[in-house]
Amino acid sequence: MSQMNLGRLAAEWRASRRLRLIVLIVLLVLAGHGLSALAARTDADRQRYANDLELQLRLEGLRGPNLWAPRADEAEAALEAANGRVPEVSSAGSAQAELQAWMTTLAAENGIADARIRVEETLDVPDHPGLWQVLGRIDGQIPQYGHGTFLRALSGGLPWIQADRIEIGDGTSARLSLVVRGYYRRAEVPPDDAASGDASGSGTSPAPAPAFDDRAIPAQETRMDAAPEIRMESVP
């Protein structure tokens, strides 16, 4: 029976051209699909081999000359250089005096009329035991068209003097209100000098300048990269 079926199938295969074309198309589709899957697998294996080779080369490079020690020395030197650029003061009162002198110069050079300059008490900088921070405030009248010059002069104090809040009006007699935060590095005092200063009483900090109401300053986390709040007001 099976031989008869096979013979009939062979006869139909020889007699039907359409059947032969259909079978050929099916075989071509299957072959194309197989080649595509094989090519994708080959590309994946090639990429995996390249990644493994790159990782091997990197690991072999780590086994070579020790580069971490020079890099650590370079990073430490860069950190010391950055710390060395921070203005150095000998006492908390000196930090207040430095910031007050800087704000006085800023107001005078930019023609701030009726300038009222006040500074807060010196505070420690969280997570930076060798730094002090001082808040200062300038209130006055800025000249007309003097906004750009004033802001450029203010940016000259960066990064160690940063603006916490700026309020500038508009008009011929515009109101100015500026709150800045200055950072200063504590000077290293030899133990003998510190002991003699404590004994003579000369090591005490001078009385702080009149402080402004810190409730007028919005509460914020102390950050070295905090952006200032700028507010522009129009005066009719």
Side-chain angles (χ1 to χ4, degrees):
M1 186 68 179
S2 60
Q3 291 181 356
M4 293 177 59
N5 292 334
L6 290 176
R8 185 182 303 171
L9 181 62
E12 291 180 357
W13 173 264
R14 287 191 298 269
S16 177
R17 183 182 179 186
R18 181 178 299 177
L19 179 60
R20 294 195 299 270
L21 290 176
I22 291 175
V23 172
L24 180 60
I25 292 173
V26 171
L27 291 176
L28 289 176
V29 170
L30 292 176
H33 180 71
L35 290 175
S36 177
L38 181 61
R41 183 173 180 179
T42 303
D43 292 340
D45 292 340
R46 187 182 297 108
Q47 184 64 33
R48 189 181 304 109
Y49 175 78
N51 294 338
D52 293 342
L53 182 60
E54 182 182 359
L55 179 60
Q56 180 181 0
L57 294 176
R58 292 175 61 184
L59 292 176
E60 290 178 355
L62 293 177
R63 290 191 310 173
N66 188 5
L67 300 178
W68 297 108
R71 292 178 180 177
D73 294 339
E74 292 176 1
E76 186 176 358
L79 179 59
E80 292 180 357
N83 291 333
R85 290 193 295 268
V86 183
E88 187 179 58
V89 294
S90 59
S91 64
S94 298
Q96 292 175 300
E98 288 286 340
L99 183 60
Q100 188 166 9
W102 184 86
M103 290 191 300
T104 301
T105 303
L106 178 67
E109 292 181 349
N110 290 274
I112 305 301
D114 300 329
R116 297 180 300 279
I117 300 173
R118 290 165 288 180
V119 294
E120 262 280 10
E121 295 181 359
T122 304
L123 302 175
D124 294 329
V125 177
D127 301 328
H128 296 276
L131 293 180
W132 276 324
Q133 60 177 336
V134 185
L135 280 172
R137 179 167 181 168
I138 301 177
D139 293 296
Q141 304 292 328
I142 189 170
Q144 190 177 17
Y145 309 121
H147 304 68
T149 304
F150 178 78
L151 293 177
R152 283 192 296 270
L154 176 62
S155 65
L158 292 172
W160 310 121
I161 298 180
Q162 301 180 0
D164 276 11
R165 190 182 68 189
I166 306 174
E167 293 182 11
I168 303 178
D170 192 9
T172 57
S173 182
R175 184 177 65 88
L176 167 69
S177 180
L178 169 67
V179 177
V180 297
R181 188 185 302 265
Y183 294 94
Y184 299 93
R185 178 165 51 95
R186 301 184 185 185
E188 296 182 0
V189 181
D192 297 340
D193 295 345
S196 61
D198 294 340
S200 62
S202 60
T204 58
S205 301
F212 56 88
D213 187 6
D214 57 356
R215 291 174 298 179
I217 303 175
Q220 66 174 33
E221 179 185 0
T222 301
R223 295 176 50 191
M224 301 295 286
D225 57 349
E229 174 189 356
I230 303 178
R231 184 184 307 171
M232 306 293 292
E233 297 179 354
S234 297
V235 178

